[in-house]
Amino acid sequence: IAVTLDPVERMRLRIELVKYFEAQKDFVSATQAVDALYRDNPLVLGVIRARVDFDHRNKRDEDAIATLMEASAKARADLSAQFRFEAARISATAGRIDQTRGLLTVLLQAYPYRADYLASMADTYAAANDDPGFVKFAGAEIEALKKAPLPPDDRKSRIAALRRRLISTLARRAE
């Protein structure tokens, strides 16, 4: 790695070293290498991506979420939302429902009509087997969407998607 003066090439080689350690099942060295790479280059998107992928692949979800939240705090608005949403997805797959809802709540405050954010929030209720909570959430969101400044077709499709989920939830509860 010290053979090149190009910083981009040096980062690429360090990422390859992490992959090599992983392939050799040397997770201690791989972890040390990826942590050092991130510590040296915390603002480089490729390094952030490499660390998050490594952490998630190796069941270090808390580290992946922390990295994404650090990146979210430092990034411009569009990337910040992407980092926060990915943190929410990783949190959800790790079964951290409260943390996921907290992350999604912040996103929904900034972008209240984003279909993927609404769907992910609805998924948290399903993951928690919280049908009453979902019914309340869906009802509130449907009412908000009725008044949303969206094109009519877009508004109708989003309301229809929530209603479909609501109907299946109510049918399952036999209401």
Side-chain angles (χ1 to χ4, degrees):
I1 295 172
V3 295
T4 181
L5 296 177
D6 180 16
V8 174
E9 182 65 11
R10 186 174 295 145
M11 283 184 277
R12 188 189 69 72
L13 290 172
R14 288 175 75 182
I15 291 169
E16 289 300 318
L17 180 63
V18 170
K19 290 178 182 176
Y20 171 78
F21 285 142
E22 252 187 306
Q24 299 301 312
K25 307 286 188 225
D26 185 356
F27 295 109
V28 172
S29 296
T31 299
Q32 291 171 344
V34 78
D35 289 346
L37 175 63
Y38 179 70
R39 188 175 44 255
D40 295 344
N41 305 282
L43 301 177
V44 177
L45 186 57
V47 172
I48 294 167
R49 176 85 271 133
R51 177 159 185 197
V52 169
D53 290 347
F54 172 83
D55 288 342
H56 191 53
R57 222 178 15 255
N58 291 288
K59 309 292 186 251
R60 293 178 10 143
D61 293 328
E62 201 57 45
D63 291 334
I65 293 166
T67 300
L68 287 164
M69 294 311 297
E70 287 172 26
S72 175
K74 296 174 186 171
R76 62 181 196 258
D78 61 329
L79 279 177
S80 178
Q82 289 176 22
F83 288 142
R84 185 174 293 273
F85 188 50
E86 184 173 357
R89 287 195 319 258
I90 291 172
S91 178
T93 61
R96 296 183 175 105
I97 301 304
D98 291 336
Q99 182 180 30
T100 303
R101 284 184 185 164
L103 293 166
L104 290 170
T105 297
V106 172
L107 289 169
L108 284 167
Q109 287 170 348
Y111 308 97
Y113 309 118
R114 283 274 308 255
D116 50 349
Y117 296 169
L118 290 169
S120 292
M121 183 63 92
D123 289 343
T124 67
Y125 291 97
N129 292 319
D130 182 5
D131 289 345
F134 173 70
V135 170
K136 184 177 177 182
F137 167 76
E141 289 304 320
I142 288 170
E143 289 306 311
L145 284 168
K146 286 179 181 177
K147 301 170 189 156
L150 298 170
D153 289 341
D154 195 19
R155 184 180 318 123
K156 286 177 189 176
S157 68
R158 291 175 195 216
I159 290 172
L162 271 173
R163 281 186 177 152
R164 280 191 296 275
R165 284 185 90 156
L166 183 58
I167 289 168
S168 66
T169 300
L170 292 173
R172 186 175 58 249
R173 294 179 66 204
E175 287 185 14

